[in-house]
Amino acid sequence: FRTFALGAAAVPAAIHGGYAMLSLIVAGSMMLSDGASRLNLSTKLVAIALIIVPQVDLALRFVPTDYATFREAAGILAFERIPQHSDPARWLRGEAYAKLGLVIVGIWLAPRGLLRNTLAALLVWAVAGTLVVISTGAAGLALVAPWRASIILVPVSTLVILARLGELSFGSSPFRRGMAVAGAVVILLALFVAGKEAVAKFKSYRDQGVPEYVEFLQRNYRPGDVYLTDPFNQKFWLDALSAQFVSWKTHPYLDREVLEWRRRVLLAREVFGDQGGKEPLNCAALGRLVRLYPVTHVLLENRDIPAGETCPPLEMVFSAGQAKIFRLDRMSL
């Protein structure tokens, strides 16, 4: 069991670099615990390799171009692309403090030894890292997101608290029966909330549907076609399986390519306007963009080409509902 647990603790680091520190803390706690002697050396080495080797591989694959470029790219990813994950100002609210209180109670009630020590180490990492990000604005650490430790801390602390309530419930005294009822209510409430969220997520995916233009694109796509869409059309490349000039949803990780991604997003936003807008296409911005990049088609949804403006030569090849696809005549540019 200990061998399996150590492997399970190390695997997340091999899947996602953001979990490397969590794997290191949990696996390290296990290897330094009183029961570590029951783990053979080969098991420990495999766990260490699962944690360390993928991080070395990432470091070699994404060597910074230079310090300034790397720092700018990290800032773009952390505070523009995924601020909901990387910026504490977006999520540090009452719910976060409530979870912190729950974790502290869970650690206090946890049995002495490996479990309590591991939870305490994860809490120190999460709180200290969060404070550093808030005080310094360090984009690199924000991308690591020390608060990710909550995915372990909150559920495990909840289980510890419920287990303690269960211990108190054994017996015939009114107090113990009351604790049993309270514990059951908490469990049922948690199951209800989780089930409600799961059903809502399933319905949102089921009701999204596929745009009418997808069949046309799948039938007519040719190698070399590049579609310019509103950058906030984040389903195009999955639905249509066609090359998209840029999407807010996707981005590269090499620092200079992150800068290029941001440049493309800004150019596309000049063409289409702000997210959710339905203003006419900006022909001047489109002209600047197509002279810089080999775009072959333009997809308009809920928009029109403004009358009286000079747009690059566009030929409409598809129209259905609120969607229109135009082929760009690059020979006439």
Side-chain angles (χ1 to χ4, degrees), residues 126-293:
V127 173
T130 301
L131 292 175
V132 171
V133 172
I134 292 173
S135 60
T136 67
L141 184 58
L143 288 173
V144 173
W147 42 87
R148 274 198 181 103
S150 63
I151 66 170
I152 300 174
L153 287 167
V154 173
V156 174
S157 296
T158 302
L159 289 174
V160 169
I161 294 171
L162 292 176
R164 291 300 191 189
L165 288 174
E167 288 179 358
L168 289 173
S169 67
F170 288 107
S172 57
S173 70
F175 172 76
R176 292 181 181 274
R177 288 197 299 270
M179 295 302 297
V181 171
V185 170
V186 170
I187 293 173
L188 290 174
L189 181 61
L191 291 174
F192 172 75
V193 172
K196 184 178 179 181
E197 290 296 324
V199 170
K201 181 69 71 173
F202 171 76
K203 287 183 177 179
S204 68
Y205 282 122
R206 184 193 62 187
D207 297 340
Q208 281 179 350
V210 178
E212 295 179 79
Y213 59 77
V214 168
E215 183 179 350
F216 171 83
L217 291 173
Q218 293 177 345
R219 187 174 62 250
N220 293 277
Y221 178 77
R222 298 291 182 270
D225 287 353
V226 178
Y227 285 80
L228 173 64
T229 72
D230 187 316
F232 294 102
N233 182 337
Q234 301 179 39
K235 293 184 60 186
F236 177 90
W237 62 286
L238 288 176
D239 286 338
L241 301 179
S242 303
Q244 187 177 12
F245 174 69
V246 72
S247 166
W248 184 260
K249 182 69 174 177
T250 58
H251 60 77
Y253 291 92
L254 191 62
D255 55 8
R256 58 182 178 271
E257 292 180 351
V258 172
L259 269 59
E260 169 62 18
W261 168 83
R262 184 172 183 266
R263 183 188 186 212
R264 291 190 179 204
V265 168
L266 293 176
L267 287 171
R269 289 184 69 175
E270 287 184 12
V271 175
F272 290 95
D274 293 331
Q275 181 180 9
K278 296 182 180 181
E279 58 268 31
L281 194 73
N282 186 327
C283 289
L286 177 61
R288 291 192 295 270
L289 187 151
V290 299
R291 284 174 173 80
L292 293 172
Y293 295 95

Side-chain angles (χ1 to χ4, degrees), residues 5 26 41 47 72 76 86 94 107 111-112 138 144 188 228 259 304:
V26 177
L41 180 60
E72 184 180 0
I76 291 170
S86 304
I107 293 175
R112 294 180 182 274
V144 173
L188 290 174
L228 173 64
L259 269 59
D304 295 306

